[in-house]
Amino acid sequence: MEAIEMEEPPLTPTSTAAFDDSDADICASILTRFGNSTREDHQHLCAVIGGMAQGFKDQSLPSSPVAYFGAACSSLDRILSEPEPSCHMIDALLTILSMAVRRVSPAILVKKSDLVNGILVRALHCSSLTVAGAVSGLKCIAHLLIVGSRVNHNNWSDISQFYGFLLSFATDSRTKVKRQSHLRLHDVLQSFQGTSLHSPASQGITDSFKRFILLAGGTKPAASEGPTGSREVLYLLDAFKECLALMSTKNKNEILELFKPLLGLQNPVVTRRITDGLYRLCLEDCPDVSPQILLDLVCSVSLSVSNNKTSVDDMTFTARLLNIGMTKVYSLNRQMCVIKLPTVFSALRDILGSEHEEAIHAAANAFKSLIHACIDESLIKQGVDQIVTNGNMDERKSGPTVIEKVCANIESLLGYHYTPVLDLAFQVVSAMFDKLGVYSFYFMRGTLKSLAEMEKLPDEDFPFRKELHECLGTALVAMGPETFRGFLPLNLEAEDLGEVNVWLFPILKQYTIGARLSFFTESILGMIKVIRNKSRQLESQGRIISSRSTDALVYSLWSLLPSFCNFPSDTAESFNDLKQPLCNALRDEPDIRGIICLSLQTLVQQNKKIAEEGNDLSDSEVGTAKQRAMANYTPQVRADNLSVLKSSAREILTVLSGVFLNSTKDDGGCLQSTIGEFASISDKAIVSRLFLSNMHKLLRVTKEARAAGSSSDSTSRQRALLFDLAVSFLPGLNGEEVDVLFNAIKPALQDDEGLIQKKAYKVLSIILGDFDGFISSKLEDLLRLMVELLPSCHFSARRHRLDCLYVLIVHVSKSEREQRWHDIISSFLTEIILGLKEANKKTRNKAYDILVQIGHACGDEEKGGKKENLYQFFNMVAGGLAGETPVIISAAMRGLARLAYEFSDLVSSATNLLPSTFLLLQRKNREIIKANLGLLKVLVAKSQAEGLQLHLKSMVEALLKWQDDTKTHFKAKIKLLLEMLVKKCGLDAVKAVMPQEHMKLLTNIRKIKERKDKKQQTSRSEEAKSHASKATTARLSRWNHSKVFSDFGDEETDDSNSDYMDTQTVTGRRGKASHLKSKASSSRAKSRTNKNLPDHLLDQLEDEPLDLLDRRRTRSALRSSENLKRKMESDEGPEIDPDGRLIIHEESNSYNEKSSHPDSDARSEAGSHLSVNTKKIQKRRKTSESGWAATGNEYASKKAGGDLKKKDKLEPYAYWPLDRKMMSRRPEHRAAARKGISSVVRMTKKLEGKSASSILTSKGLKFKRVQKKGSFRLSHKLAGFESWWSRGGGGGGNASCSTVEYVGTANAKA
């Protein structure tokens, strides 16, 4: 019978529920829980408790816990006195007693303890007692012991007998009773903590354990019985998992000593129980454990790893125990722990070399945890001192230190035995490099050498290239670039460029941080000088290719500069030495200007950012290396760095300005950005002087252009460069100088040259965006100027003009009153709406942004807006529908669509415009129809089905008028709109309003929808297992102009409707701004990419881009691409001689030779050029090229007509590819393919045994030519076969036709 489990709080001395004398009715709680149960023991329990409650009621007694306690005790006493007591009654009464005893006050329990103890002992000794009764009885005993310890906490004799009775059940053969005894011993020992009862209670458990060990080792039981005491030893080992940590210090260590000989037995059952107990002990806070004993046990467990009989679970648990055990020993006694670290690391190494995945990961985690927890700076310095003291490693007399042994273990993880787990081994090695830091050079030389040798392995044999580079990057961070490069040199002085370690450049660029600028100045720049001289020598010798390759090394060396400028440690001391080489390179080497500019910007930005925001190292995204580098940037260091950069700003700004004015192009605006960064930290006087000098040049050039009457291209370009340079100084200018710049661009805003006007508007937009005070002081002038300049605005300047309007409207919406704001919007609204029709995408997007921003300013109630203002603005835009030209009408429709898409409150207002849109659909103007269909698409997607039902008939009729039109190409777009209507309103509703002549279209839509739903349902069922735990959320859809207003329906396939249905929009009530800038949807690009990548790379696209620096993955992607037409015979790179010239070897004739059969050639050419049905010809050609035919060319003899047998190669053979139509879904294609191959087989059987020469000379061999729809001519199928045969592929007259093999797939090989 199963035990009756009752919910109850743990038995602790501080538990308030243990002595709760509340009026909670025990009868009600039991009946509520077990009243509906069909189990017999539950029914007996309910009957007994019900009888007790009825008896209390009849005798007018309260149903208190004391009453139930007394009734249960008296009933138990009476029933136990009977000759054959009922087991069900005993179980029920013990269950009631276990519940009542927790609610009775301690005074009553102490007073009745002798009586209750006697009853419980008699009950638990009863032969008819079930497991459920025993469990309830043990709960009562444990509670009485806890209460007794609180009253008589110094008198062990009063409770010793009762405690021994509880302890006897710890070795009970019944599992649930034994388990309950262990739990109650845990509660009792916890309550004895801090009392005199704790020591004798612990001693009792120890004595029992010793006694059973002696019994197990000193008796010789019968063969049919187990060893006496052995089972009890195992049971007590299970009890130690709960109780060992709570025992007294003396007994705890005594038990641990007894574990040692038991571990020596190497019995898996005993060992696993001991390790479980040790694991639980190490998890607890036990500072009194003997570290020596615990260490000996952990080492004994580690030695058992070498046993081949160890199971997967045991190995995994052992790895975890070694981790937590050594960490525990380290916290108790560091010196003892570090001595045994090599032994433990050796055991973990053996586990890592196993074949079990779970154990391998547990060992790797244990490695990393112990490296960080147990290897400290003192241990490292001790090893360093030993190495430095001994000097020459070959003459060293003392043995290796602990840290050297540990590092040797780590290095061994890179051996060939651990090849399958190298990815985890690299993580362990990285953890060791990170822990050793700058001292890695002393201990990890061999490891670094092994890592460098692995880099030479080919990608096919080494799939862990990315992990290797990460490990080398960690080593670089730990050792520093100087030490790292000293051990792994770039080898730039090698004569053969193939020996240069170019693979180190990406690692140096990615992982260098906190380095010294002086190292770059002294070492890297010296290398650059040497390599450049070498390049000149090669060029003078006529070795141009080698010279260009050497120049590439120069560029690679310069590309390390940004990494050395990433939180350098000596900016204040070394920047002045680096400044002059950088200035010279900026003047003389255009190719590296971008690198230098990026480096200078990094220096300025990092010091400015830390100075302004503080040195916050709490960001979890900041790596360890970056945290170390940033920690060195104290306020004083930052101040010194900025002081040096500020003092160098004048010279750098002068050089940058001169280079900018003389450069042909500024890639990415790097020069302008760098000028702006240094202008922000430079003295205002220096920036002002340079700015005014530039303005004088601009004035002079402008006067010259006006005097000439018309600007030449060079003059216009010079003026544009001067404008760009002037605006680059903005971060360092004051208000007066900004006014000077503004006055200078006013005439340029009306210039006839489009380039000048574009630059002027760009400068104005930057000024307005960076200086809000400038707008406030000149708002009226700016508004008047924008109105006056509208007629003369060049088309190329419209985007930057809209940028200006955007900033002005945002400013006005925040500061001006409502009426004033309304007037300003009205003056620019037409221009903004017309901007929606611009061909330039950026201009068009900016117009959309302005429109949305005005809408937010109108309807955002948090900023003083009103919903009525939003409706009024919408009506202003809708007024464009009454325009006279198609341009303004279509632009207004686009604006209405964008507003309805952004603001859900406007959908109802836009729906009211549907009658007008239906009328406009009748106009035969392509622009109006395209914009109208886009507006309808947005309204259908955003509107509720009830609102669409009112206009459904009119909408369907208006759309179908363009369904049969073939000139405007709107059929696909209209079909998509009908699909959206079916999805929104239902098929029946659309069918009711669909004209009869268009029912076929609706039927097609229905079938497509059913097919799609079926496909989606199948895909969901397949992905349910792998994605069951992932929560799905609606995707945020963003505005896409091309998707809404495209001419064709190609882009809006499948789920284009859902793009709108799941959109998060902004309402006027909530007034929460959404993203204003539209971001291109990545789903289309992702679908295109998925077609070109293999399946194992598709999952990577969902989370992260393909790592193009990972040569293994990139090459795998290229090889697996279905669109890769050119097939490589070898994956090896091109062969290059020492001079850099490409070596090309003459290859033999390709497999794909033309057929030698004349009829075959004629038919092939006719099919390629003269056939009318080109689609069939392309499909036929694709079919013929699908297979790879081995036609026996490699066995053809140049001197004879037969084949040759070559040494160590297969005998002459040829494979003929099967027709790909064998895999076709169409039965007629499969039949044609089978017929063709069967003809080949029949011919083979017919000619079996004949020589090739006799067959080819016979005139009776004719091929039957059959031409049917959907099949190839037999002669076409046999063309290549005949060609091979005519060359003697059949074996030179000796080989019979039976030697020809036919395989069942196109890619089969021998």
Side-chain angles (χ1 to χ4, degrees):
M1 183 181 296
E2 296 183 5
I4 299 176
E5 297 294 338
M6 301 294 293
E7 294 182 1
E8 58 185 19
L11 298 176
T12 58
T14 58
S15 177
T16 57
F19 312 118
D20 184 12
D21 194 9
S22 62
D23 295 333
D25 192 357
I26 297 176
C27 176
S29 62
I30 292 178
L31 292 178
T32 301
R33 182 169 182 181
F34 303 110
N36 298 325
S37 176
T38 58
R39 283 176 46 177
E40 185 179 3
D41 54 342
H42 291 171
Q43 293 176 355
H44 278 287
L45 175 61
C46 293
V48 172
I49 195 65
M52 285 186 181
Q54 186 62 37
F56 295 153
K57 184 176 182 181
D58 294 342
Q59 299 178 19
S60 301
L61 296 176
S63 299
S64 62
V66 176
Y68 284 108
F69 173 75
C73 290
S74 60
S75 299
L76 268 176
D77 188 26
R78 184 180 66 256
I79 292 174
L80 291 173
S81 301
E82 297 177 359
E84 295 181 359
S86 172
C87 61
H88 293 298
M89 287 296 295
I90 297 176
D91 293 345
L93 291 172
L94 285 174
T95 301
I96 296 171
L97 183 61
S98 66
M99 296 180 64
V101 75
R102 299 175 64 85
R103 294 174 169 84
V104 177
S105 64
I108 296 176
L109 292 178
V110 172
K111 184 177 181 181
K112 301 292 184 180
S113 61
D114 294 338
L115 174 63
V116 178
N117 292 347
I119 294 174
L120 289 174
V121 171
R122 289 165 55 199
L124 291 175
H125 279 155
C126 181
S127 59
S128 60
L129 184 68
T130 62
V131 173
V135 169
S136 300
L138 291 176
K139 292 179 181 179
C140 295
I141 292 175
H143 185 72
L144 290 173
L145 284 172
I146 292 173
V147 173
S149 67
R150 291 171 59 90
V151 177
N152 298 320
H153 54 272
N154 292 323
N155 194 351
W156 169 249
S157 59
D158 292 344
I159 62 172
S160 60
Q161 186 176 0
F162 207 40
Y163 175 80
F165 183 67
L166 174 63
L167 181 59
S168 65
F169 284 92
T171 57
D172 194 276
S173 59
R174 295 166 293 183
T175 303
K176 288 192 175 182
V177 176
K178 177 179 59 187
R179 176 61 179 164
Q180 190 64 220
S181 173
H182 298 167
L183 294 175
R184 299 311 150 195
L185 280 174
H186 173 275
D187 296 336
V188 171
L189 287 175
Q190 190 172 10
S191 67
F192 287 175
Q193 297 290 324
T195 67
S196 60
L197 306 177
H198 183 223
S199 180
S202 302
Q203 188 63 43
I205 300 176
T206 306
D207 293 341
S208 298
F209 188 54
K210 290 180 178 180
R211 183 173 70 255
F212 287 124
I213 289 179
L214 292 175
L215 288 175
T219 59
K220 296 181 179 180
S224 59
E225 300 179 359
T228 305
S230 299
R231 186 179 296 109
E232 287 77 4
V233 170
L234 295 178
Y235 292 161
L236 284 178
L237 287 176
D238 289 332
F240 288 141
K241 290 189 290 187
E242 305 292 339
C243 306
L244 184 58
L246 298 174
M247 295 175 65
S248 64
T249 303
K250 174 188 174 183
N251 298 109
K252 191 183 305 180
N253 293 326
E254 194 172 352
I255 294 295
L256 292 178
E257 284 284 359
L258 294 174
F259 281 174
K260 292 182 181 180
L262 294 178
L263 281 176
L265 299 176
Q266 295 186 356
N267 186 299
V269 179
V270 177
T271 302
R272 182 55 189 266
R273 281 169 167 79
I274 293 176
T275 54
D276 287 345
L278 291 175
Y279 188 83
R280 291 287 297 272
L281 177 66
C282 294
L283 288 176
E284 301 292 338
D285 184 17
C286 302
D288 54 347
V289 177
S290 172
Q292 184 62 55
I293 300 175
L294 184 58
L295 181 62
D296 292 342
L297 290 173
V298 171
C299 292
S300 299
V301 172
S302 67
L303 294 176
S304 66
V305 174
S306 59
N307 187 1
N308 296 328
K309 298 181 181 180
T310 306
S311 64
V312 181
D313 293 338
D314 290 341
M315 293 180 70
T316 305
F317 193 81
T318 299
R320 295 170 181 167
L321 176 61
L322 293 178
N323 177 19
I324 194 171
M326 292 301 291
T327 305
K328 184 72 174 179
V329 174
Y330 183 84
S331 64
L332 298 174
N333 191 311
R334 173 198 168 277
Q335 189 61 32
M336 289 183 181
C337 174
V338 296
I339 294 175
K340 294 295 183 179
L341 275 180
T343 304
V344 175
F345 273 48
S346 178
L348 291 175
R349 181 188 60 190
D350 294 338
I351 298 176
L352 191 66
S354 66
E355 300 178 354
H356 311 297
E357 193 70 19
E358 187 178 0
I360 289 171
H361 283 276
N365 292 332
F367 261 122
K368 292 184 286 186
S369 178
L370 290 177
I371 287 173
H372 290 294
C374 300
I375 297 180
D376 51 22
E377 188 175 356
S378 176
L379 183 64
I380 297 172
K381 288 187 176 181
Q382 181 182 357
V384 172
D385 295 340
Q386 185 74 15
I387 293 174
V388 173
T389 302
N390 288 285
N392 191 348
M393 301 290 293
D394 298 333
E395 300 177 359
R396 181 173 176 176
K397 297 181 180 180
S398 60
T401 58
V402 173
I403 188 64
E404 290 177 282
K405 294 179 182 178
V406 170
C407 292
N409 273 315
I410 299 297
E411 182 181 348
S412 64
L413 297 180
L414 301 179
Y416 70 93
H417 297 291
Y418 305 94
T419 301
V421 293
L422 274 179
D423 53 337
L424 297 178
F426 287 147
Q427 295 180 17
V428 177
V429 173
S430 298
M432 197 66 192
F433 272 117
D434 187 63
K435 189 67 178 181
L436 294 175
V438 295
Y439 302 110
S440 301
F441 180 72
Y442 292 99
F443 307 106
M444 305 289 283
R445 297 181 182 181
T447 305
L448 202 57
K449 182 179 179 181
S450 300
L451 293 175
E453 291 175 351
M454 288 183 181
E455 179 62 33
K456 301 176 183 178
L457 296 175
D459 290 342
E460 294 77 7
D461 301 333
F462 188 68
F464 306 113
R465 187 78 58 189
K466 182 178 179 180
E467 292 81 0
L468 171 62
H469 287 178
E470 291 174 352
C471 184
L472 286 168
T474 307
L476 171 62
V477 171
M479 302 171 66
E482 304 173 35
T483 306
F484 182 84
R485 198 191 63 82
F487 190 79
L488 292 180
L490 293 171
N491 201 19
L492 297 174
E493 63 278 0
E495 292 295 331
D496 186 1
L497 296 179
E499 298 178 2
V500 179
N501 294 327
V502 293
W503 57 270
L504 284 173
F505 283 112
I507 299 174
L508 289 169
K509 287 195 293 185
Q510 183 176 356
Y511 294 98
T512 298
I513 184 171
R516 294 189 305 116
L517 287 178
S518 58
F519 176 75
F520 185 88
T521 305
E522 299 165 359
S523 181
I524 305 298
L525 289 181
M527 295 182 196
I528 291 174
K529 185 177 181 180
V530 172
I531 298 299
R532 184 174 285 113
N533 293 333
K534 183 178 180 180
S535 174
R536 292 168 182 167
Q537 293 177 3
L538 292 173
E539 187 175 3
S540 63
Q541 297 172 6
R543 302 168 64 179
I544 304 300
I545 297 178
S546 299
S547 175
R548 297 297 177 264
S549 301
T550 309
D551 290 338
L553 293 179
V554 174
Y555 184 85
S556 298
L557 289 171
W558 270 112
S559 65
L560 300 178
L561 179 59
S563 300
F564 278 86
C565 292
N566 189 11
F567 292 102
S569 58
D570 60 343
T571 304
E573 296 81 7
S574 305
F575 182 77
N576 286 328
D577 298 332
L578 182 62
K579 177 180 62 177
Q580 193 59 44
L582 294 183
C583 292
N584 295 335
L586 283 171
R587 296 190 190 98
D588 304 333
E589 301 182 43
D591 293 339
I592 62 173
R593 285 173 186 166
I595 296 175
I596 298 175
C597 289
L598 177 61
S599 305
L600 293 174
Q601 291 177 45
T602 302
L603 280 176
V604 177
Q605 290 171 358
Q606 287 180 349
N607 285 280
K608 280 173 53 180
K609 183 178 180 181
I610 296 178
E612 295 170 358
E613 301 178 4
N615 198 352
D616 185 11
L617 302 179
S618 60
D619 190 357
S620 59
E621 297 181 358
V622 177
T624 305
K626 190 173 182 179
Q627 289 181 356
R628 293 174 181 171
M630 293 176 64
N632 296 327
Y633 270 52
T634 61
Q636 184 61 42
V637 171
R638 295 194 301 270
D640 294 341
N641 292 345
L642 287 175
S643 176
V644 172
L645 294 172
K646 184 177 180 180
S647 63
S648 306
R650 177 179 180 179
E651 183 176 354
I652 293 176
L653 285 174
T654 303
V655 173
L656 289 173
S657 301
V659 170
F660 180 77
L661 292 176
N662 295 323
S663 62
T664 56
K665 64 176 182 178
D666 178 18
D667 293 336
C670 60
L671 289 171
Q672 283 186 274
S673 301
T674 309
I675 292 172
E677 291 295 340
F678 272 90
S680 64
I681 64 171
S682 179
D683 289 335
K684 299 298 180 182
I686 296 175
V687 178
S688 178
R689 190 180 306 116
L690 293 173
F691 171 74
L692 293 177
S693 174
N694 180 75
M695 296 307 296
H696 286 305
K697 293 180 183 178
L698 177 61
L699 179 61
R700 185 180 68 254
V701 174
T702 304
K703 288 181 179 180
E704 293 175 357
R706 289 178 179 176
S710 60
S711 301
S712 61
D713 292 340
S714 59
T715 305
S716 299
R717 181 183 172 277
Q718 188 176 7
R719 290 178 64 191
L721 286 175
L722 289 170
F723 275 123
D724 285 335
L725 181 58
V727 79
S728 301
F729 290 113
L730 270 182
L733 300 181
N734 54 35
E736 296 179 357
E737 292 159 346
V738 174
D739 291 340
V740 172
L741 180 58
F742 175 66
N743 293 328
I745 65 173
K746 276 185 180 181
L749 293 171
Q750 306 178 43
D751 199 284
D752 296 334
E753 288 288 334
L755 177 61
I756 301 303
Q757 196 177 123
K758 178 181 177 181
K759 290 296 182 182
Y761 273 111
K762 181 180 179 181
V763 172
L764 180 59
S765 65
I766 295 175
I767 294 174
L768 297 179
D770 293 347
F771 293 90
D772 193 59
F774 178 81
I775 303 177
S776 302
S777 61
K778 297 184 179 296
L779 181 59
E780 296 298 332
D781 295 340
L782 289 170
L783 294 174
R784 183 173 61 256
L785 182 64
M786 297 302 292
V787 174
E788 294 173 353
L789 294 175
L790 177 59
S792 61
C793 180
H794 194 268
F795 71 91
S796 63
R798 287 173 186 168
R799 177 167 69 92
H800 296 297
R801 176 179 169 84
L802 288 176
D803 288 336
C804 299
L805 287 179
Y806 179 81
V807 178
L808 288 174
I809 289 174
V810 171
H811 179 83
V812 168
S813 64
K814 297 178 181 178
S815 58
E816 294 295 324
R817 62 183 185 274
E818 183 176 335
Q819 183 60 39
R820 172 64 172 162
W821 176 83
H822 184 273
D823 296 339
I824 294 174
I825 295 301
S826 301
S827 60
F828 296 110
L829 184 59
T830 303
E831 179 184 358
I832 296 171
I833 293 177
L834 289 175
L836 303 178
K837 293 286 293 181
E838 287 289 338
N840 186 280
K841 181 180 179 180
K842 293 182 179 179
T843 306
R844 191 171 60 240
N845 288 340
K846 182 57 65 176
Y848 279 124
D849 292 344
I850 297 175
L851 208 62
V852 172
Q853 178 62 33
I854 296 173
H856 282 293
C858 291
D860 195 346
E861 296 179 354
E862 297 178 358
K863 299 181 180 179
K866 299 178 182 179
K867 188 184 299 185
E868 292 76 11
N869 295 340
L870 182 61
Y871 292 147
Q872 185 179 4
F873 173 64
F874 184 80
N875 293 332
M876 293 170 61
V877 178
L881 297 179
E884 298 179 356
T885 61
V887 175
I888 188 63
I889 294 175
S890 59
M893 284 186 173
R894 295 186 177 196
L896 293 175
R898 182 67 182 96
L899 291 174
Y901 182 87
E902 184 74 18
F903 303 95
S904 59
D905 290 339
L906 296 177
V907 174
S908 59
S909 299
T911 306
N912 296 333
L913 297 175
L914 283 177
S916 301
T917 61
F918 299 154
L919 292 175
L920 291 172
L921 277 175
Q922 299 177 7
R923 301 181 61 172
K924 297 184 181 297
N925 184 276
R926 182 175 174 275
E927 291 187 27
I928 295 177
I929 300 304
K930 185 171 70 171
N932 211 332
L933 292 178
L935 175 60
L936 289 177
K937 181 190 289 188
V938 174
L939 293 181
V940 170
K942 300 285 291 182
S943 301
Q944 298 296 327
E946 295 78 7
L948 291 176
Q949 293 283 358
L950 301 176
H951 305 278
L952 186 59
K953 181 177 177 59
S954 302
M955 185 180 298
V956 172
E957 292 177 352
L959 290 175
L960 292 177
K961 290 180 181 180
W962 293 94
Q963 173 64 21
D964 298 328
D965 189 277
T966 59
K967 295 182 179 180
T968 53
H969 306 287
F970 290 139
K971 293 182 65 174
K973 205 170 185 68
I974 291 172
K975 183 179 179 181
L976 174 65
L977 277 168
L978 292 174
E979 290 177 357
M980 295 172 64
L981 287 173
V982 169
K983 185 175 181 180
K984 183 63 71 73
C985 301
L987 182 64
D988 296 336
V990 178
K991 186 177 181 180
V993 299
M994 178 74 74
Q996 189 64 32
E997 61 270 19
H998 294 286
M999 281 299 176
K1000 290 185 178 181
L1001 175 61
L1002 191 62
T1003 303
N1004 178 260
I1005 292 174
R1006 176 181 59 81
K1007 290 182 178 180
I1008 292 176
K1009 182 176 182 298
E1010 291 175 354
R1011 193 180 302 119
K1012 186 197 306 180
D1013 294 342
K1014 184 177 180 180
K1015 184 177 179 181
Q1016 290 177 352
Q1017 185 177 3
T1018 304
S1019 62
R1020 289 194 196 101
S1021 61
E1022 292 176 354
E1023 296 176 0
K1025 296 180 180 180
S1026 59
H1027 294 84
S1029 61
K1030 295 184 179 179
T1032 58
T1033 57
R1035 178 173 57 87
L1036 176 63
S1037 176
R1038 295 181 176 87
W1039 174 261
N1040 191 321
H1041 168 87
S1042 300
K1043 195 170 187 179
V1044 178
F1045 298 109
S1046 61
D1047 291 334
F1048 306 98
D1050 301 337
E1051 298 179 4
E1052 299 91 32
T1053 57
D1054 295 344
D1055 288 338
S1056 59
N1057 187 15
S1058 63
D1059 289 348
Y1060 299 100
M1061 298 305 298
D1062 295 335
T1063 302
Q1064 298 178 5
T1065 57
V1066 178
T1067 62
R1069 282 187 299 270
R1070 289 177 296 177
K1072 294 181 180 179
S1074 67
H1075 296 281
L1076 299 182
K1077 294 186 177 180
S1078 63
K1079 297 184 179 179
S1081 175
S1082 61
S1083 60
R1084 194 175 302 110
K1086 187 180 296 182
S1087 65
R1088 287 199 300 266
T1089 308
N1090 291 351
K1091 295 179 181 178
N1092 299 328
L1093 291 180
D1095 294 336
H1096 71 278
L1097 292 176
L1098 295 184
D1099 294 337
Q1100 183 178 355
L1101 289 176
E1102 298 297 329
D1103 298 323
E1104 59 181 359
L1106 176 66
D1107 186 4
L1108 297 179
L1109 294 179
D1110 190 342
R1111 289 185 292 174
R1112 179 177 64 86
R1113 289 189 175 273
T1114 306
R1115 184 170 295 178
S1116 176
L1118 293 176
R1119 287 175 183 168
S1120 304
S1121 175
E1122 295 179 356
N1123 297 330
L1124 190 61
K1125 298 299 183 184
R1126 182 168 57 91
K1127 298 187 184 272
M1128 302 293 292
E1129 294 183 2
S1130 174
D1131 292 332
E1132 298 178 359
E1135 186 175 354
I1136 300 175
D1137 66 357
D1139 294 336
R1141 297 184 178 90
L1142 184 65
I1143 300 176
I1144 301 176
H1145 296 281
E1146 293 292 337
E1147 300 290 346
S1148 60
N1149 294 332
S1150 174
Y1151 285 128
N1152 298 323
E1153 286 188 43
K1154 292 185 178 180
S1155 175
S1156 62
H1157 195 280
D1159 295 339
S1160 166
D1161 289 342
R1163 283 188 294 273
S1164 177
E1165 294 178 3
S1168 300
H1169 305 289
L1170 304 178
S1171 177
V1172 178
N1173 195 344
T1174 57
K1175 292 185 178 179
K1176 291 185 178 180
I1177 296 303
Q1178 291 175 357
K1179 188 173 183 180
R1180 184 180 305 168
R1181 187 180 300 117
K1182 184 177 181 181
T1183 302
S1184 64
E1185 293 174 356
S1186 63
W1188 182 82
T1191 55
N1193 285 347
E1194 58 268 36
Y1195 299 102
S1197 174
K1198 296 181 180 179
K1199 299 181 180 180
D1203 293 335
L1204 296 176
K1205 289 186 178 181
K1206 297 184 177 182
K1207 186 178 180 181
D1208 299 332
K1209 290 207 172 184
L1210 297 174
E1211 292 186 359
Y1213 72 95
Y1215 277 176
W1216 180 253
L1218 298 182
D1219 196 338
R1220 67 186 300 167
K1221 290 182 180 178
M1222 293 287 288
M1223 307 301 294
S1224 175
R1225 295 183 178 180
R1226 298 186 179 182
E1228 60 270 19
H1229 287 185
R1230 294 198 300 269
R1234 285 196 297 269
K1235 186 176 181 180
I1237 193 62
S1238 63
S1239 300
V1240 178
V1241 176
R1242 285 197 302 271
M1243 185 190 68
T1244 304
K1245 293 181 179 179
K1246 182 179 179 181
L1247 304 177
E1248 185 174 0
K1250 298 182 180 181
S1251 65
S1253 59
S1254 63
I1255 293 172
L1256 294 175
T1257 57
S1258 65
K1259 299 181 180 180
L1261 181 60
K1262 295 183 180 180
F1263 298 114
K1264 184 178 180 181
R1265 299 169 184 171
V1266 181
Q1267 176 66 36
K1268 290 185 179 180
K1269 182 180 180 180
S1271 66
F1272 289 114
R1273 292 191 179 114
L1274 179 60
S1275 59
H1276 181 74
K1277 287 177 172 294
L1278 297 178
F1281 182 74
E1282 295 168 5
S1283 174
W1284 167 76
W1285 210 324
S1286 65
R1287 294 194 306 271
N1294 297 322
S1296 64
C1297 294
S1298 60
T1299 60
V1300 181
E1301 299 180 40
Y1302 297 89
V1303 291
T1305 60
N1307 295 325
K1309 294 182 176 63

